[in-house]
Amino acid sequence: GLARLLAKQEETVSPEEAAAALSASLDYAFLNEEPLVRLLQRLQPVDATGRADYLLGNYAYHCARKEEAKTLFERAYQKGLRYTALLSNLGMIAFDEGDFQAAECYCFEDVQKNGPDNASSLICLFQIYQKSGTPEQKEQLYRWMEKTANRPLVLPSMLTHLLQTGRTDEALRLMESEEFENWEGGEISGSLYRETILRLVEDAMESGNLQKDREWLDRARRYP
C-alpha cells in the first residue's frame, strides 16, 4: 500500500490515502524511502492507530537513533498497537537499558498476544529468567521455544535449559536430531555438544559405568 504512494507526487498524497495504505498489517515492515518517511511524518499527528509511529520507530532504530526509536515505539504501544516486532523491540531496548522488569513484560505480552514465533522475545526472556526466573517460568519458556517457527535461533537456549535441569539424554537427542545454524559467523553447536558429552561422562562416572564413560570420552575426542 505505501509503496504505491511513491508513484505519486509526495505533496499530492492526502492523509486519507496514506491512512488507507496503513490499514493493513505492517508487522516487520521497514521504511527505506525518504519520501515515505516524510509522508508518515506528516500523517503521524493524526494517526490514531500507532502504525505511523511504529514504522518511523523502525526507521530510527535501524539508523541507530535508539532514543528516538524508543519514544516512537512507546507512542505506538500507547495507541494500542501490539505487533510482535514492536513488543520485541521495546523488550530488547528495555533489556539493553537494564530495565529487566519492563523487558519481561513486553516480551511476555508478545508471546501471549502473538504466539511464540518471535525468537528475539524468547531469547530475551531466557536471558532474564537465567538471572531471576522461577523453575516454573523456565519450563514454560522451554515449552514455548519448542513451538517456535525459528527453532535454530533458540536451540542453544533449549539445550542450556536441558543441561541445567539434568536432562542430559534429552539434550543429546536434541543435538543429534536438530539442524543448527551459525549465528553471525559464530559456530555454536560444538561447545554445546562437548558440554553435553562431558555431562554424560560425569553421569557415567557417578554410576561407576567405566565402559560407558570411555565411550562418551571417545565421542568427545572425535567431534566433529
Side-chain angles (χ1 to χ4, degrees), residues 32-98:
N32 56 10
E33 299 283 354
E34 283 293 336
L36 282 179
V37 174
R38 292 192 296 267
L39 176 62
L40 288 173
Q41 287 170 338
R42 283 173 47 208
L43 179 64
Q44 186 185 3
V46 295
D47 172 39
T49 68
R51 291 186 176 98
D53 296 300
Y54 164 75
L55 289 171
L56 290 168
N58 274 340
Y59 182 76
Y61 192 78
H62 287 277
C63 291
R65 304 200 301 262
K66 295 292 181 69
E67 284 301 317
E68 180 184 349
K70 178 184 176 182
T71 299
L72 289 161
F73 286 149
E74 287 175 341
R75 285 179 188 166
Y77 182 87
Q78 290 160 7
K79 292 176 181 178
L81 204 64
R82 295 296 186 270
Y83 285 158
T84 183
L86 171 67
L87 293 169
S88 179
N89 285 342
L90 281 168
M92 288 188 292
I93 290 172
F95 185 89
D96 290 342
E97 292 178 343

